[in-house]
């Protein structure tokens, strides 16, 4: 009996690696035949390899996962992968084999495998219409208003109106408010897509700042750059040269 095959599509290399490693642990019989960097490439690879399953990130450049699934036109069942609960839940309701929230956990991936093995789900007859509805919802801005973040051993719901800035390292993103520092696992790139661009600006490859929290803009003579002083936070934030143009007219 030949192994099952799958295609993975995500524009983030680390996310593809994380999912591939999780699949190796949880579903070693599933062979990853190709990996795509965007939705358009995912469509090409699915047509070429005709896999048993496709794991599609919903938010990708060139063509998002919803549009890619529509163009695949039922060539294989789809598991949507996303950082946003609202897309994941809707995708599952509309007939996707399953959905996975980032970062993908082994226990949750095991349930995907069980559903596949027990049901061998075929795409429903209304699949295209459902994807069109999902695509329309994805096109409408639905910005994050609450952040579910870890503070010590507990979870806290933080309004984006409380957040002074987000700052990422390789594994976590720090959520800083006036009186609290919390952690989430959503990278800056995904946060940038999920937040209102009129409310948050990127000032560094690892930093997003809430615009109305900026109290003062200073020039850093030593580095010939800009520093932001935020209300309620003592340390200045560095503005990299790539983003200095945001403050030229202020």
């Amino acid at each position: 009996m030949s192994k099952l095959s799958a295609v993975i599509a995500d524009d983030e290399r680390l996310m593809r690696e994380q999912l591939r490693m999780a699949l190796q642990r949880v579903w070693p019989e599933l062979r990853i035949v190709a990996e795509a960097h965007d939705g358009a490439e995912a469509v090409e690879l699915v047509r070429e390899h005709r896999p048993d399953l496709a794991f599609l990130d919903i938010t990708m450049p060139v063509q998002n996962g919803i549009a890619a699934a529509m163009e695949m036109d039922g060539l294989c069942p789809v598991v949507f992968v996303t950082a946003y609960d609202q897309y994941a839940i809707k995708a599952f309701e509309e007939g996707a084999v399953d959905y996975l929230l980032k970062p993908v956990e082994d226990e949750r991936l095991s349930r995907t495998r069980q559903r596949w093995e027990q049901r061998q789900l075929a795409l429903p007859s209304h699949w295209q219409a459902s994807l069109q509805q999902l695509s329309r919802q994805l096109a409408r801005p639905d910005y994050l208003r609450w952040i579910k973040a870890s503070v010590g051993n507990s979870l806290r719901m933080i309004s984006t109106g409380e957040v002074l800035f987000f700052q990422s390292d390789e594994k976590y993103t720090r959520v800083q408010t006036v009186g609290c520092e919390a952690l989430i696992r959503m990278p800056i790139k995904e946060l940038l897509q999920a937040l209102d661009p009129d409310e948050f600006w990127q000032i560094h490859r690892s930093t997003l700042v809430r615009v109305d929290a900026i109290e003062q803009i200073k020039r850093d003579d030593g580095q010939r750059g800009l520093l932001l002083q935020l209300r309620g936070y003592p340390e200045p934030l560095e503005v990299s040269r790539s983003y200095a143009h945001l403050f030229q007219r202020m």
Side-chain angles (χ1 to χ4, degrees), residues 17 23 31 39 54 72 83 87 91 95 99 102 107 130 134 149 162 165 167 195 197 205 215 243-244:
E17 290 180 358
L23 285 166
R31 182 169 57 98
M72 289 173 190
Y87 299 145
Y99 69 86
K102 298 180 182 180
E107 182 179 354
S130 299
L134 275 170
E162 296 180 60
F165 63 88
Q167 198 164 61
L195 293 167
R205 64 183 178 84
E215 185 175 57
Y243 301 99

Side-chain angles (χ1 to χ4, degrees), residues 45-156:
L45 291 174
V46 165
R47 286 174 174 167
E48 177 184 352
H49 294 280
R50 298 299 173 104
D52 298 288
L53 204 56
F55 293 85
L56 303 181
D57 182 26
I58 287 184
T59 52
M60 291 187 288
V62 183
Q63 190 177 49
N64 64 51
I66 305 296
M70 291 173 65
E71 192 169 340
M72 289 173 190
D73 197 23
L75 287 176
C76 69
V78 168
V79 176
F80 286 122
V81 186
T82 179
Y84 313 125
D85 293 43
Q86 68 268 32
Y87 299 145
I89 293 169
K90 189 63 178 175
F92 186 63
E93 289 174 349
E94 296 295 345
V97 170
D98 207 347
Y99 69 86
L100 299 169
L101 288 175
K102 298 180 182 180
V104 176
E105 297 179 350
D106 287 7
E107 182 179 354
R108 181 64 185 82
L109 190 54
S110 294
R111 294 206 298 274
T112 297
R113 174 179 178 171
Q114 290 168 7
R115 285 173 175 151
W116 171 262
E117 291 175 342
Q118 293 170 5
R119 301 177 65 182
Q120 293 285 305
L121 291 182
L123 296 177
S125 59
H126 63 280
W127 177 241
Q128 280 287 348
S130 299
L131 288 176
Q132 289 172 3
Q133 182 179 351
L134 275 170
S135 183
R136 287 192 295 269
Q137 291 177 342
L138 189 62
R140 293 197 301 266
D142 188 13
Y143 300 122
L144 279 179
R145 296 302 174 196
W146 294 91
I147 305 291
K148 184 167 64 174
S150 298
V151 181
N153 294 323
S154 63
L155 286 176
R156 179 182 167 190

Side-chain angles (χ1 to χ4, degrees), residues 147-151 158 160 162-189 191 195 200 205-210 230 232-238:
I147 305 291
K148 184 167 64 174
S150 298
V151 181
I158 301 174
T160 55
E162 296 180 60
V163 177
L164 299 177
F165 63 88
F166 297 94
Q167 198 164 61
S168 285
D169 58 22
E170 293 182 359
K171 190 173 182 180
Y172 294 101
T173 296
R174 170 184 170 192
V175 183
Q176 184 68 53
T177 70
V178 171
C180 171
E181 180 180 315
L183 296 174
I184 58 175
R185 289 193 177 186
M186 188 183 297
I188 286 293
K189 183 174 182 179
L191 270 172
L195 293 167
F200 286 90
R205 64 183 178 84
S206 63
T207 308
L208 302 178
V209 64
R210 186 162 56 83
L230 306 183
Y233 188 74
E235 300 296 328
L237 298 182
E238 177 188 355

